[in-house]
Amino acid sequence: RRSGLWFRLRKLIIWLLGVYIAVPFLVKLCPAIQAKLVFLNFVRVPYFIDLKRPQDQGLNHTCNYYLQPEEDVTIGVWHTVPAALWKNARGKDQLWFEDALGSSYPVILYLHGNAGTRGGDHRVELYKVLSSLGYHVVTFDYRGWGDSVGSPSERGMTYDALHVFDWIKARSGDNPVYIWGHSLGTGVATNLVRRLCERETPPDALILESPFTNIREEARSHPFSIYRYFPGFDWFFLDPITTSGIKFANDENVKYISCSLLILHAEDDPVVPFHLGKKLYNIAVTSRSFRDYKVQFVPFHTDLGYRHKYIYRSPELPRILREFLGKSEHEHQH
């Protein structure tokens, strides 16, 4: 009996080893697999929510829209008004919500990370916090996420964000518009803001929560990468990402961004290592493009347990935002 057990165990070990060795070759031959792992847009948790009904998530002062950035692309958008407008917002239609962007409250365009949808739990909790602080929050699912139609790509995600930004600006008058990116959304955010700065329509500030330097460094540092020490790791795993046109080069983009920058990162982040956020800050703070603007890095101690997506729980967050955004207008240093 013991020899039979040992035989089965040996067979299992050989099979697992075979799969372990086969996966890198599979990824190399089919880069689309690696792209899917970066985007994780097929993971739609929480599964059973109706994105047309944000009120089911406790967002009673939120309207669901659909915008069309390009032909054959439709994206689902949520617009949460500041808590002060909550009573007025009840039962109102899309037109009322669009007009409300012109009221004298600042707007935050929130760009979420990979996996899930605009209805993800930690995202919804952040919208509630920001609304309570007096911000409009506009968020959306990139093409291929949630109920948005289209195929995901870095170019497409950036274009969707640009379309929503321009849509906000057309309605918000002179109110400040801030851009907030989380995790993979920081890559979309810096792509977007770089383009906005190049066309001389920068946002009023950029906030990056749990950012990385670029997608290759993030993939190499990702704690879940069991292939990190595999011979030829870069060739097998990182090159296919680049081949798929995925760069999310935050470290390059910050050299071309000219607006105030706030970076938030938890020391115990298990998904995007803290040292990558710190490294990005060090690149930004020495960049000539930021010389007339405020650049700030706020770490959250391991003991707080905020990890990758719970910084919204920080009782310090309202103060941090108030102090930073209160001084985020263009500050020339004469």
Side-chain angles (χ1 to χ4, degrees), residues 13-271:
I13 290 167
I14 291 167
W15 183 81
L16 287 172
L17 198 61
V19 170
Y20 180 76
I21 291 167
V23 165
F25 290 94
L26 197 62
V27 168
K28 188 67 184 176
L29 289 169
C30 188
I33 295 172
Q34 192 68 322
K36 282 234 176 281
L37 291 174
V38 170
F39 296 137
L40 291 177
N41 58 304
F42 54 90
V43 179
R44 301 203 172 178
V45 288
Y47 285 102
F48 304 110
I49 71 166
D50 182 352
L51 292 168
K52 292 184 178 69
R53 292 179 52 82
Q55 60 268 34
D56 292 351
Q57 308 308 113
L59 294 170
N60 295 321
H61 49 320
T62 298
C63 189
N64 180 64
Y65 309 141
Y66 290 97
L67 301 179
Q68 197 168 5
E70 293 179 298
E71 206 180 343
D72 303 326
V73 175
T74 308
I75 56 174
V77 181
W78 279 0
H79 171 199
T80 303
V81 294
L85 301 178
W86 185 82
K87 281 183 179 160
N88 296 345
R90 276 187 294 190
K92 296 296 197 297
D93 61 4
Q94 180 172 335
L95 206 58
W96 182 89
F97 274 81
E98 288 190 39
D99 287 345
L101 284 168
S103 61
S104 57
Y105 294 94
V107 185
I108 289 178
L109 169 56
Y110 178 78
L111 305 169
H112 69 63
N114 67 359
T117 67
R118 62 191 184 276
D121 295 344
H122 64 283
R123 294 163 189 163
V124 168
E125 292 308 314
L126 179 65
Y127 314 152
K128 290 175 182 174
V129 168
L130 296 176
S131 168
S132 73
L133 297 175
Y135 299 101
H136 287 277
V137 183
V138 177
T139 187
F140 66 96
D141 280 316
Y142 316 105
R143 60 187 71 188
W145 271 259
D147 58 355
S148 296
V149 178
S151 299
S153 68
E154 179 173 352
R155 187 205 70 83
M157 294 163 78
T158 304
Y159 192 80
D160 294 345
L162 180 64
H163 182 80
V164 177
F165 178 84
D166 286 342
W167 180 88
I168 292 167
K169 286 298 280 185
R171 290 156 180 78
S172 60
D174 294 330
N175 297 326
V177 178
Y178 308 121
I179 290 167
W180 184 312
H182 173 245
S183 193
L184 190 68
T186 64
V188 183
T190 66
N191 280 350
L192 168 63
V193 176
R194 177 175 175 175
R195 281 183 70 169
L196 294 176
C197 291
E198 283 169 353
R199 73 173 199 191
E200 298 183 351
T201 58
D204 293 274
L206 170 61
I207 300 163
L208 301 177
E209 179 190 357
S210 315
F212 48 85
T213 43
N214 59 67
I215 202 67
R216 285 178 75 102
E217 284 201 344
E218 159 58 10
R220 190 182 290 118
S221 307
H222 200 292
F224 305 146
S225 174
I226 56 169
Y227 287 96
R228 214 176 320 171
Y229 305 109
F230 194 87
F233 174 76
D234 282 29
W235 188 77
F236 279 114
F237 289 95
L238 303 185
D239 292 351
I241 298 178
T242 312
T243 304
S244 302
I246 302 170
K247 296 189 174 75
F248 291 115
N250 288 336
D251 49 357
E252 266 308 298
N253 288 339
V254 293
K255 296 172 187 171
Y256 299 91
I257 286 173
S258 43
C259 69
S260 296
L261 171 66
L262 172 64
I263 295 178
L264 310 169
H265 214 136
E267 291 176 357
D268 59 337
D269 190 328
V271 178

Side-chain angles (χ1 to χ4, degrees), residues 135 178 294 320-329 331:
Y135 299 101
Y178 308 121
K294 188 174 181 181
I320 291 163
L321 293 177
R322 192 166 54 246
E323 288 179 4
F324 178 77
L325 296 177
K327 299 172 189 162
S328 69
E329 312 315 319
E331 297 173 337

